Amino acid sequence: MYRAEQEVMDAAGAARAYVPGVQGKGLPLAQARLKRAVDVAGALTFFTLFLPLYATVALSVRLTSRGPVFFEQMRVGQNGRSFSFYKFRSMVENSEEALSSFLDTDDGARSEWETYQKLHRDPRITWVGQILRKTSLDELPQFWNVLKGDMSLVGPRPCMLEQRDLYGPHWGAYCAVKPGITGLWQVSGRNALTYQQRVQLDSKYVQNWSLLWDLKILAKTVLVVLTGHGSR
């Protein structure tokens, strides 16, 4: 595990069980159970149908750059509970040092990072990582997060502890449901949106949740992934 990743996990350690003052009004019990049933069925279907693809991506990461196959980081989930979040590694080994050095020498990039929490030209991403991100294949390990119950197929994108302040009054809405592999902002502009626009869409999703809306978002996600619209 990378040093920077370990530092994030250490910082989150005290909050692993619970972050005070973050509860939001969650879904009624019947709706929450229905959503969970769909999550489990979807994740099991994925692993049944796409296990060869999963193995191929893992092998490509292992053979093309130094470091572990999986990227693990602490994220904040439902009711402020922290959990280990997984992706296929798409960055170089010294990713945090590379980002810090790049932002220190490029004011435009720093402004872009502060607005979007992403970079169009990110020096940390490997050539295989570029492909994985363009096709969203780096997200595949999160189906394991769904099976574990940390995440849902659809919900707010899981945020890092240090991004909490960016949510402002919408933090309670974020914590009301499980974060998702995909969500409203991914099918409404994806990385073309500012972080504040993303927050507002996450809040809108929570306040207006329905199973039909989840199914529509999943269907739109397939189209977004196939076209690569808004990906970085």
Side-chain angles (χ1 to χ4, degrees), residues 14-169:
R16 179 181 292 274
Y18 183 67
V19 179
V22 296
Q23 297 115 311
K25 184 179 179 181
L27 301 178
L29 182 59
Q31 293 183 353
R33 287 177 173 173
L34 178 61
K35 184 172 173 63
R36 177 61 181 159
V38 172
D39 288 341
V40 172
L44 289 176
T45 299
F46 162 77
F47 281 116
T48 300
L49 298 178
F50 297 105
L51 188 59
L53 174 62
Y54 191 97
T56 298
V57 174
L59 186 62
S60 71
V61 174
R62 170 65 72 186
L63 295 179
T64 57
S65 61
R66 295 177 55 188
V69 170
F70 299 104
F71 170 78
E72 179 182 355
Q73 190 178 60
M74 296 306 297
R75 298 290 175 100
V76 181
Q78 189 175 27
N79 292 325
R81 297 181 184 277
S82 299
F83 66 95
S84 294
F85 167 86
Y86 303 105
K87 297 177 73 172
F88 281 120
R89 181 177 56 82
S90 60
M91 295 185 180
V92 296
E93 191 168 10
N94 60 335
S95 59
E96 293 305 314
E97 292 86 348
L99 175 63
S100 179
S101 177
F102 183 64
L103 296 182
D104 286 343
T105 59
D106 191 321
D107 291 339
R110 179 170 293 280
S111 177
E112 180 184 3
W113 176 261
E114 291 173 351
T115 301
Y116 298 97
Q117 294 288 291
K118 291 181 181 290
L119 294 173
H120 181 69
R121 182 169 61 93
D122 195 323
R124 301 171 295 172
I125 303 177
T126 66
W127 69 269
V128 167
Q130 293 279 5
I131 298 172
L132 297 183
R133 290 189 171 208
K134 185 69 175 178
T135 57
S136 297
L137 291 174
D138 61 320
E139 312 285 357
L140 296 184
Q142 289 157 47
F143 283 95
W144 174 242
N145 281 121
V146 173
L147 281 180
K148 287 174 59 184
D150 299 323
M151 293 177 60
S152 175
L153 294 177
V154 183
R157 192 66 182 143
C159 73
M160 295 179 286
L161 290 171
E162 58 267 30
Q163 292 173 324
R164 171 179 174 170
D165 290 344
L166 298 175
Y167 281 78

Side-chain angles (χ1 to χ4, degrees), residues 212-229:
L212 179 60
W213 204 6
D214 270 11
L215 296 177
K216 287 181 178 179
I217 290 173
L218 287 171
K220 288 183 179 180
T221 298
V222 174
L223 180 61
V224 168
V225 170
L226 290 177
T227 61
H229 179 68

